[in-house]
Each structure stands twice: as C-alpha cells, then as structure tokens.
Amino acid sequence: MRKINLFIGGEYRSPSTERYFQVINPATKDIVAEVAEANEQDVELAVQNALHAFTNTEWAHDRQLRFDVLNRLSSLLRANLDELTELESVITGRPIREMKAQLLRLPEWYEYFASVLKTMENSSPPFSGSYVNYTQRLPLGVVGLITPWNHPLLILTKKLAPALAGGNAVVIKPSENAPVTPSILGDLAKQAGVPNGILNIVQGFGTVAGKALSTHPALEKIDVTGGTETGRHIASAAGFNLAKVAAELGGKASVLILPDANMEEAVNGSAFAAFIATGQTCVQGSRIFVHESQYEVFVEKLVEKTKSLTIGDPSSLETDIGPVISERQYRRILDYIQIGIEEGATVACGGEPFEGNGFFIQPTIFTNVRNDMRVAQEEIFGPVTCIIKYTSIEELVKQANGTDMGLAMSVWSNNIRLAHQVVNQLEAGIVWINDHHRIDPSSPWGGFKSSGIGLENSIQCFNDYTKLRNVIVNISTEPFDWFDGSQQVKRYS
C-alpha cells in the first residue's frame, strides 16, 4: 500500500491536518493507497509557492528551458510507462490492455506542445502610418487544473502540457478517486527540471480542496473536467475573480448509423463507443440511432457482440470490461438501469451486476427507447447504451441534437456526401466519421451547449494558456504636439 503526500514547492509534504483518505481497487475493494487530504491552508500554501516560483524563476521567460524540460518529461514518462500503466489499471479498474494503449500516447502531448512553444511566432498586424506593430504572447501566471478519475493521467496531461509550455505555474487538484498516478508527476517533473514551485499537487475532496482552489483570487485560469453542475459553480467563481475558464463537462454522445453504413463496421464501432472504459468516458456512445429498416438486425448483432465481451480481472490482457470506479458510481448506474425499465425501455442485454468482489456491471443495451426518456437524456457514465429507431435523416438529426449536451458524436456511412451533410447539422464540438473516441494533441477537443467552454489540445489551447500584449512603436521623425495651439484636427486614434 502506498502513502501519497502533497507535492508543494518541489517536495512531498504531509497535509496540515495530518488526515489521509483511502483509495481502493474497484476490482477487489482492497485498499491500495492512503492519500493526503488537503484543506484550505494546504491549497493556500501551494498557490503561494506557485506565485513565488512564477515571479522568481526564469520559467516564465526562458522558452528554451521550457522546451528542454517538456522533452525530458516526455522521455521520463516513456521510461516509467510500465509502472504508471499498472497503477492506473489498479486504481481505475480499466483493463490493462486499454491502459497500455492510452498511456503509450502521453509523451506525444509534451512533445507536441514543446514544438508549438518552439515554433510559435509573434504576429505583426497591419497598422497605418509610421508605426511598427507587433504582438507578444505571455504566460498567464498561476493556473488551477482540476481533473477527473476516469482518465487520470491523460486528461491531466491534456491540460498540463500546454500550461507548462505557456510558461505558467500550476496547482493540480486530482480526483479523490484516482489521485495516485497524478502525484507521481511531481517527482517526474522535478527530475525533468521543472523549477520548485512551478508544479504543485494538492489531493483532497472537491468540496474543500477543489473549492479553495477554484475560488482563489490569485489564479489567472481554472481548467476543469467534470460534471456540468460542478463546471457551472467553478465558472461562476472564476468569473467573479475575472479568471479565464476552460471546462470540459458532461456528454451524451450520439452514434448515428446511416442506412448505407457497413453493418459490421457500425456494430463494432458502436460496441467500442459504448463500452470502452466500461462506459466511463464523456464521449461514450450512449445513444445509438439506427434506421428502422435495419433496426432489428443491428440490435441482434450488437447484442451478440456485447455478450462476447470478457468481464473480469483488469490485469488480464483478455479482459474487455473492468469494474466501475466506486460503490457510489456502481449504485448510480444500477439505479439508472432501473429507471430505464420503469420508463418502458427493454433490457436487450445485461442489466445486472456481474459476479465478483468488485464493482462489476454487465454491459447493458436498452431497446424500445424514446428520445425523451431519462436514460436517453442524462449522463449515466457507465456501461449502458440505448438503441433508438429513426425513419428519416431529418428525424435523425433532430433526435441527435435533442439533448442539452453537445460534446461529441459519430456518423457511420459509406456515402461521404451524405455523411458531411449530416455532420454540418450536428450540434457537437467533436464529430467522427466512421470512427469514435479518437484523439490527437494537435486536434481541438471541446464541446457545445452544456458540455463546456474552451478547448483542450491544439494551438488554440496553447494560446488560451497565454495572454496577448500588443506593442505599437512610433518610428516617425515628424514632431507631434496635439496641444500646439494650431486648432488643427490631427490623427490620434
């Protein structure tokens, strides 16, 4: 069992309260770590260390230093991937095969944003008259990163890499359900050469540590991934402090199967969209729309595919479906399955807990679902998906857009014209064609409507971790005196 302390000012420290909370393995319910519980005093200490480091080190000013450090951090991550992969699997219950595939890509983010930092050029906007006009991108200052439990290192990396590349100091509050691997980043960052105080980690609970961080007046930006209501509260607090906000929030992703789609590809893609990460992802394919002419065949094939999935020990390469993260989430998902049944939906597959010591739930498919049912509208965040029938493309688009959330969707079709016509009508920040849940550090990631504001990934994300200064230089040798008594109208704006 590991004991995890706070990481503040370049060293691990015990919390001011001397309190620790337990983290369990959701597959076995065994205690695997005791983690420091930060309070307001600890958060304040972390922010002050970040402010001091931002002001008193060369981090904010030395682009070459940041470029070198980010690349060293990438190399250190690669060297430690085996340990990090095993830990993430144990802490989250994600099958080891998934974790290997996901964490293998982490170094790309640090390398990408190091490259953006190195190649990003300032602009020289046109300016009339005898002037030289140019812009500068500067670090924001201290930023707060609040991260979830479903992809502990990946989602943290999506925020941390551009934040560091931009020259900022950071205070990280990871989820209390999965704080172990993020805590290791403190040591790796120090080894890579991040100055003491530039990167700080305060584990704890959202109602205390998360609230203290998100409301701190010294922060210049808050970047959060979590539920929509949490995001609203954090954005409200940040707005009061005039801080920037990025918030990747809830999702209820639709999978749109057009009539001409390849059936086998659509079934396999839908299974992946619905059940990868045991459905615990904000872009989970939780609403699968199928044309009435193919509905029965599609249901039969997806049910057959789902029943073939192996549920069990996440440490086995043969396992497809692991447990959900916690007892609370386990109960919530089972409650939603019961809600679906009471609403009149049919359980075509699953719908029950799976035998074992941990928080296992059978992958569940609902049929005979109306778009206004709660199971079709509310984020369940588990291995539950709904198959919904449609009769026309117009109806399909209306139903797909018929939620408060707009993070992601996928369209499956062999008719590229039709696919793009449909995509252009969808209210989602991310749309895949003939794929689902694919990501790259250069590709913008963010949602519409209640799914959030701001972006992860891409040059735009890097820009959002900076502030823009405009410098206007008068190079004219002509004298200028507005108050020369001539009463002439002269240009001054």
Side-chain angles (χ1 to χ4, degrees):
M1 183 171 65
R2 291 175 177 252
K3 188 171 186 177
I4 307 295
N5 276 312
L6 310 176
F7 188 79
I8 299 175
E11 62 183 20
Y12 288 100
R13 309 182 185 206
S14 58
S16 59
T17 60
E18 295 296 333
R19 286 202 298 265
Y20 290 78
F21 59 92
Q22 296 177 336
V23 175
I24 66 168
N25 178 340
T28 64
K29 301 183 183 178
D30 294 333
I31 300 169
V32 293
E34 289 186 339
V35 180
E37 182 181 336
N39 65 4
E40 296 89 346
Q41 181 179 336
D42 299 310
V43 171
E44 180 65 28
L45 181 63
V47 173
Q48 292 306 320
N49 270 268
L51 280 168
H52 183 269
F54 180 78
T55 304
N56 294 284
T57 71
E58 289 303 308
W59 183 254
H61 313 289
D62 193 334
R63 295 165 68 94
Q64 185 63 44
L65 170 64
R66 303 201 303 269
F67 176 81
D68 292 340
V69 166
L70 286 169
N71 279 297
R72 284 197 294 268
L73 183 52
S74 172
S75 297
L76 285 167
L77 279 168
R78 281 198 174 91
N80 288 274
L81 277 178
D82 288 344
E83 179 190 12
L84 293 170
T85 299
E86 183 178 346
L87 277 172
E88 287 240 319
S89 181
V90 168
I91 298 298
T92 65
R94 292 276 299 274
I96 193 72
R97 190 162 62 94
E98 285 185 25
M99 296 318 309
K100 284 179 180 290
Q102 185 177 100
L103 268 60
L104 274 170
R105 299 204 60 201
L106 288 183
E108 294 178 38
W109 267 260
Y110 297 95
E111 293 163 351
Y112 170 78
F113 281 104
S115 298
V116 169
L117 163 68
K118 192 72 168 177
T119 58
M120 180 66 73
E121 297 179 353
N122 294 320
S123 64
S124 181
F127 201 98
S128 61
S130 299
Y131 292 89
V132 172
N133 185 36
Y134 65 93
T135 62
Q136 297 173 316
R137 287 212 167 268
L138 308 172
L140 295 173
V142 178
V143 300
L145 312 181
I146 299 177
T147 60
W149 47 260
N150 56 327
H151 307 301
L153 276 178
L154 175 62
I155 292 178
L156 173 56
T157 289
K158 288 163 67 179
K159 304 176 189 303
L160 181 62
L164 293 178
N168 302 287
V170 301
V171 180
I172 300 163
K173 209 299 281 184
S175 167
E176 59 270 24
N177 285 320
V180 176
T181 49
S183 73
I184 295 173
L185 270 183
D187 183 53
L188 296 180
K190 186 169 185 175
Q191 290 181 48
V194 174
N196 292 343
I198 289 295
L199 189 151
N200 307 273
I201 306 168
V202 286
Q203 302 89 351
F205 294 92
T207 53
V208 179
K211 181 179 179 181
L213 182 60
S214 63
T215 59
H216 201 290
L219 265 61
E220 299 293 339
K221 179 176 179 176
I222 292 285
D223 194 337
V224 58
T225 296
T228 298
E229 286 308 307
T230 298
R232 291 184 195 278
H233 289 299
I234 289 174
S236 176
F240 181 82
N241 291 327
L242 301 181
K244 281 189 171 186
V245 180
E248 200 259 64
L249 306 175
K252 194 69 177 174
S254 296
V255 178
L256 287 66
I257 313 298
L258 303 193
D260 65 279
N262 179 287
M263 179 65 73
E264 183 178 358
E265 289 181 358
V267 168
N268 291 337
S270 297
F272 175 79
F275 301 125
I276 193 73
T278 318
Q280 297 171 116
T281 170
C282 48
V283 296
Q284 183 219 6
S286 56
R287 295 149 47 84
I288 304 172
F289 290 93
V290 183
H291 190 264
E292 59 181 355
S293 65
Q294 300 168 315
Y295 187 83
E296 299 301 330
V297 173
F298 182 90
V299 168
E300 180 183 347
K301 289 184 176 295
L302 185 60
V303 166
E304 180 182 3
K305 177 75 175 181
T306 302
K307 287 182 176 179
S308 74
L309 301 179
T310 300
I311 309 170
D313 180 6
S315 67
S316 170
L317 287 172
E318 296 177 354
T319 296
D320 299 308
I321 305 292
V324 298
I325 189 69
S326 65
E327 182 175 4
R328 178 182 179 184
Q329 191 67 11
Y330 174 82
R331 300 290 179 196
R332 183 176 186 272
I333 295 164
L334 291 177
D335 285 346
Y336 264 107
I337 291 173
Q338 187 59 38
I339 288 169
I341 294 169
E342 291 172 357
E343 288 182 310
T346 300
V347 176
C349 178
E352 300 285 344
F354 184 77
E355 293 181 4
N357 292 328
F359 305 119
F360 292 93
I361 297 175
Q362 296 174 4
T364 299
I365 297 172
F366 275 120
T367 57
N368 298 318
V369 177
R370 298 188 315 275
N371 201 36
D372 62 350
M373 289 180 175
R374 288 182 62 188
V375 289
Q377 289 292 319
E378 298 175 12
E379 188 174 39
I380 300 171
F381 222 70
V384 181
T385 192
C386 303
I387 308 180
I388 304 173
K389 188 183 301 184
Y390 71 91
T391 58
S392 68
I393 297 298
E394 292 75 19
E395 181 192 4
L396 169 64
V397 170
K398 182 178 180 180
Q399 290 195 93
N401 288 336
T403 74
D404 291 335
M405 290 171 275
L407 181 56
M409 299 188 197
S410 61
V411 176
W412 296 79
S413 173
N414 282 325
N415 183 334
I416 198 66
R417 288 184 177 180
L418 179 59
H420 279 281
Q421 288 170 9
V422 171
V423 166
N424 288 336
Q425 299 176 71
L426 298 180
E427 298 169 356
I430 308 157
V431 183
W432 298 277
I433 295 179
N434 295 329
D435 214 328
H436 200 98
H437 204 167
R438 301 297 179 176
I439 188 172
D440 192 89
S442 64
S443 185
W445 182 280
F448 296 169
K449 301 192 285 188
S450 294
S451 287
I453 52 177
L455 292 170
E456 293 175 334
N457 305 339
S458 77
I459 291 174
Q460 181 61 51
C461 180
F462 174 85
N463 289 343
D464 286 345
Y465 271 102
T466 66
K467 54 191 175 186
L468 191 66
R469 177 160 62 199
N470 192 193
V471 181
I472 304 163
V473 185
N474 182 1
I475 61 173
S476 173
T477 58
E478 294 294 321
F480 176 83
D481 181 3
W482 179 264
F483 300 107
D484 62 5
S486 67
Q487 301 181 359
Q488 291 182 349
V489 176
K490 305 177 181 181
R491 181 176 186 266
Y492 71 93
S493 63

